[in-house]
């Protein structure tokens, strides 16, 4: 199984729980409708990666930077920078036909994470930043989320469950787009204007 790192120790999540359409401006940039209820999808353990790998056999892939949480005993225990990689053209075709998104969202190496950092602070003070080739592409925080992390956890538990060590990805702010092999990503998690997680990735 694939693993993540927290304090230099390995954890093997059973799954990644993701929520879509959680930032108003991101909904607008993709011309989507604002959902009446939370939009969930799961990524399997096989999607988890420490490396940013462009999906083979595809001409286009989108990055989506997200504040990501480690869940233990149904509570947030740590935070990381995460990337939800998305085959946007595939996703659009699936949505048009009313089909599930797995082909566009759950492929191998589609959930990329920095090392996780233990966290017990104020969630509303967290934000995410993504720079590609030294250019700021995405920036947003919990204060801009439609559904806050604790609300997402509560809703998920109404129909499913977290195994200890599972990951919650909380949606992406505006600014998503395509990327290429050789691009250099710098992801940050910021807390009270201080960077607490920072990870650099070169696209392989």
């Amino acid at each position: 199984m694939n693993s993540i790192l927290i304090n230099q120790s390995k954890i093997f999540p059973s799954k990644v729980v993701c929520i879509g359409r959680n930032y108003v401006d991101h909904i607008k940039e993709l011309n989507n409708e604002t959902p009446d209820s939370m939009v969930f999808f799961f990524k399997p353990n096989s999607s988890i990666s420490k490396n940013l790998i462009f999906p083979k056999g595809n001409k286009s892939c989108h990055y989506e930077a997200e504040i990501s949480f480690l869940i233990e005993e149904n509570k947030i225990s740590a935070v990381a920078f995460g990337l939800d990689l998305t085959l946007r053209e595939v996703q659009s075709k699936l949505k048009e036909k009313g089909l599930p998104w797995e082909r566009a969202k759950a492929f191998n190496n589609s959930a990329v994470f920095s090392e996780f950092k233990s966290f017990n602070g104020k969630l509303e003070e967290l934000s995410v930043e993504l720079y590609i080739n030294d250019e700021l592409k995405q920036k947003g925080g919990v204060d801009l989320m439609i559904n806050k992390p604790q609300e997402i956890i509560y809703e998920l538990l109404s129909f499913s469950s977290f195994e200890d060590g599972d990951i919650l990805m909380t949606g992406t702010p505006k600014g998503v787009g395509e990327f290429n092999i050789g691009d250099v990503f710098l992801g940050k998690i910021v807390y009270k204007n201080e960077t607490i997680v920072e990870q650099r990735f070169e696209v392989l």
Side-chain angles (χ1 to χ4, degrees), residues 68 78-82 113-118 126-127 129 186-191 194-199:
S68 302
V79 65
F81 173 84
F113 299 104
S114 69
E115 184 170 354
F116 281 73
K117 178 181 177 66
S118 297
L126 286 169
S127 62
E129 296 178 5
L186 178 64
K188 297 182 179 182
I189 297 296
V190 179
Y191 180 63
E194 178 182 348
T195 299
I196 61 170
V197 174
E198 183 172 301
Q199 183 71 47

Side-chain angles (χ1 to χ4, degrees), residues 157-176:
L157 293 174
S158 73
F159 69 90
S160 187
S161 59
F162 290 102
E163 300 294 331
D164 282 354
D166 282 353
I167 299 168
L168 172 63
M169 301 188 81
T170 55
T172 193
K174 69 176 181 179
V176 304

Side-chain angles (χ1 to χ4, degrees), residues 5-68:
L5 284 175
I6 175 169
N7 303 326
Q8 297 301 312
S9 296
K10 288 185 177 181
I11 291 180
F12 299 87
S14 72
K15 63 183 176 295
V16 182
V17 176
C18 306
I19 184 167
R21 304 184 188 180
N22 202 26
Y23 287 81
V24 172
D25 287 343
H26 174 60
I27 293 171
K28 291 178 180 178
E29 75 177 342
L30 294 184
N31 295 315
N32 287 326
E33 294 182 1
T34 301
D36 294 328
S37 58
M38 297 185 202
V39 177
F40 285 97
F41 59 95
F42 293 172
K43 288 176 180 265
N45 174 274
S46 57
S47 71
I48 295 170
S49 178
K50 302 179 188 69
N51 298 310
L52 179 47
I53 302 170
F54 195 91
K56 294 180 180 179
N58 292 277
K59 295 181 179 179
S60 173
C61 185
H62 276 204
Y63 59 83
E64 298 186 9
E66 309 203 10
I67 301 171
S68 302

Side-chain angles (χ1 to χ4, degrees), residues 57-61 86-97 99-107:
N58 292 277
K59 295 181 179 179
S60 173
C61 185
T86 304
L87 302 176
R88 190 73 67 200
E89 293 181 7
V90 174
Q91 184 189 35
S92 296
K93 291 178 181 178
L94 292 170
K95 288 195 295 186
E96 286 174 3
K97 297 178 180 180
L99 296 173
W101 298 357
E102 275 80 1
R103 285 182 178 270
K105 288 282 193 179
F107 54 92

